[in-house]
């Protein structure tokens, strides 16, 4: 039990579908993150939320839409995705609200396949 | 720009072998350095860290020493186990920048 829970663990969707990934943290942290993990590439930071406010959008295409209704929940809404968006999407949280403490707590990830 | 470079994997070793996974960094300031581990089917977990030159981070038998002169933070373990099979990520952070920069990861296979 890592304290950060992601659902679903696996998702297969067509390019015209709309789906959402959910992340919940039970650690009382103030910041939450979405990362994309693709084979043979560094982890790509997508979005950062501090105290429910988005503080980072790392040039992510608009077909990915984050939502943070409170400091414990984070969503990633997906629509009209491309096959190259297939990857493992990792949610993370940090206690301080600043990533530069380096202490991120990750969920197990949602494996997305776009057909 | 700031970056982390790790040795290419996969690395395959027999149980009880000595492990080294190389990591070097480029940074404009004085970074803090980290190793994260990702076991199969799981997210990343912080393994160890070092926040200043000559610091040694250690956990679960793994060690890494912050070498400013060689800009390195190599991960070592004296005797690996099958359960150490995972992907290992080197990372850095800078106080001046609210980001953590990860390397590409090194996959480690330990054979019984």
């Amino acid at each position: 039990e890592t304290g950060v829970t992601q659902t679903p663990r696996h998702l297969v969707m067509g390019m015209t579908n709309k789906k959402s990934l959910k992340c919940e943290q039970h650690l009382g942290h103030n910041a939450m993150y979405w990362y994309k993990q693709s084979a043979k590439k560094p982890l790509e930071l997508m979005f950062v939320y501090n105290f429910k406010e988005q503080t980072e959008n790392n040039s992510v295409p608009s077909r990915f839409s984050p939502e943070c209704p409170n400091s414990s929940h984070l969503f990633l809404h997906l629509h009209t995705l491309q096959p190259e968006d297939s990857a493992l999407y990792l949610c993370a949280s940090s206690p301080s609200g600043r990533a530069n403490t380096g202490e991120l707590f990750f969920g197990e990830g949602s494996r997305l396949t776009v057909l | 720009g700031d970056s982390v470079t790790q040795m290419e994997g996969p690395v395959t070793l027999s149980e009880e072998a000595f492990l080294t996974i190389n990591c070097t960094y480029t940074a404009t300031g004085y970074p803090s350095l980290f190793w994260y581990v990702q076991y199969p089917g799981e997210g990343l977990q912080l393994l160890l860290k070092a926040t200043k030159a000559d610091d040694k981070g250690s956990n679960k038998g793994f060690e890494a020493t912050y070498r400013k002169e060689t800009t390195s933070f190599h991960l070592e373990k004296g005797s690996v186990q099958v359960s150490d099979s995972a992907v290992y990520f080197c990372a850095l952070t800078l106080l001046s920048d609210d980001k953590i920069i990860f390397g590409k990861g090194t996959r480690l296979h330990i054979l019984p």
Side-chain angles (χ1 to χ4, degrees):
Chain A
E1 175 59 51
T2 64
V4 179
T5 304
Q6 290 187 240
T7 54
R9 294 292 308 277
H10 299 273
L11 178 62
V12 179
M13 58 188 290
M15 289 191 283
T16 58
N17 292 159
K18 290 185 181 181
K19 297 285 184 183
S20 296
L21 306 181
K22 179 183 176 182
C23 177
E24 184 173 2
Q25 58 100 355
H26 310 277
L27 302 169
H29 291 170
N30 296 317
M32 297 185 76
Y33 310 78
W34 279 116
Y35 281 87
K36 178 182 178 183
Q37 186 177 26
S38 305
K40 300 187 179 179
K41 286 187 176 182
L43 279 171
E44 299 174 52
L45 178 64
M46 300 175 72
F47 301 104
V48 182
Y49 279 81
N50 280 315
F51 297 94
K52 302 187 299 177
E53 300 296 322
Q54 187 180 122
T55 57
E56 181 86 24
N57 178 338
N58 206 20
S59 302
V60 180
S62 59
R63 58 186 183 269
F64 295 92
S65 174
E67 179 189 1
C68 188
N70 55 61
S71 56
S72 298
H73 293 86
L74 184 65
F75 295 89
L76 188 63
H77 303 300
L78 315 169
H79 60 97
T80 59
L81 294 189
Q82 305 299 311
E84 60 265 28
D85 297 323
S86 298
L88 182 68
Y89 289 84
L90 291 166
C91 175
S93 69
S94 66
S96 70
R98 289 185 62 83
N100 61 17
T101 64
E103 298 202 40
L104 297 178
F105 293 75
F106 284 84
E108 294 177 325
S110 294
R111 173 72 62 187
L112 173 65
T113 303
V114 181
L115 301 176
Chain B
D2 304 318
S3 65
V4 173
T5 302
Q6 293 180 235
M7 60 190 296
E8 291 282 333
V11 174
T12 302
L13 296 172
S14 296
E15 204 165 23
E16 299 183 2
F18 185 87
L19 168 70
T20 301
I21 299 178
N22 290 337
C23 171
T24 57
Y25 66 88
T26 302
T28 51
Y30 297 98
S32 295
L33 301 172
F34 306 84
W35 278 100
Y36 276 80
V37 58
Q38 184 177 29
Y39 297 105
E42 298 185 14
L44 281 71
Q45 303 173 26
L46 179 63
L47 180 60
L48 54 84
K49 67 177 183 179
T51 57
K52 61 183 188 295
D54 300 324
D55 269 2
K56 178 186 285 187
S58 62
N59 186 23
K60 300 183 180 180
F62 290 89
E63 293 182 341
T65 301
Y66 188 142
R67 301 286 189 200
K68 185 180 173 186
E69 63 276 13
T70 54
T71 62
S72 64
F73 193 55
H74 304 321
L75 184 68
E76 297 181 335
K77 186 174 185 182
S79 176
V80 292
Q81 306 299 313
V82 172
S83 57
D84 294 326
S85 298
V87 181
Y88 292 82
F89 293 87
C90 188
L92 70 83
T93 64
L94 289 163
L95 280 178
S96 59
D97 190 5
D98 191 18
K99 289 187 177 64
I100 177 168
I101 297 171
F102 288 94
K104 291 185 179 181
T106 302
R107 184 174 298 277
L108 175 66
H109 292 294
I110 305 299
L111 303 175

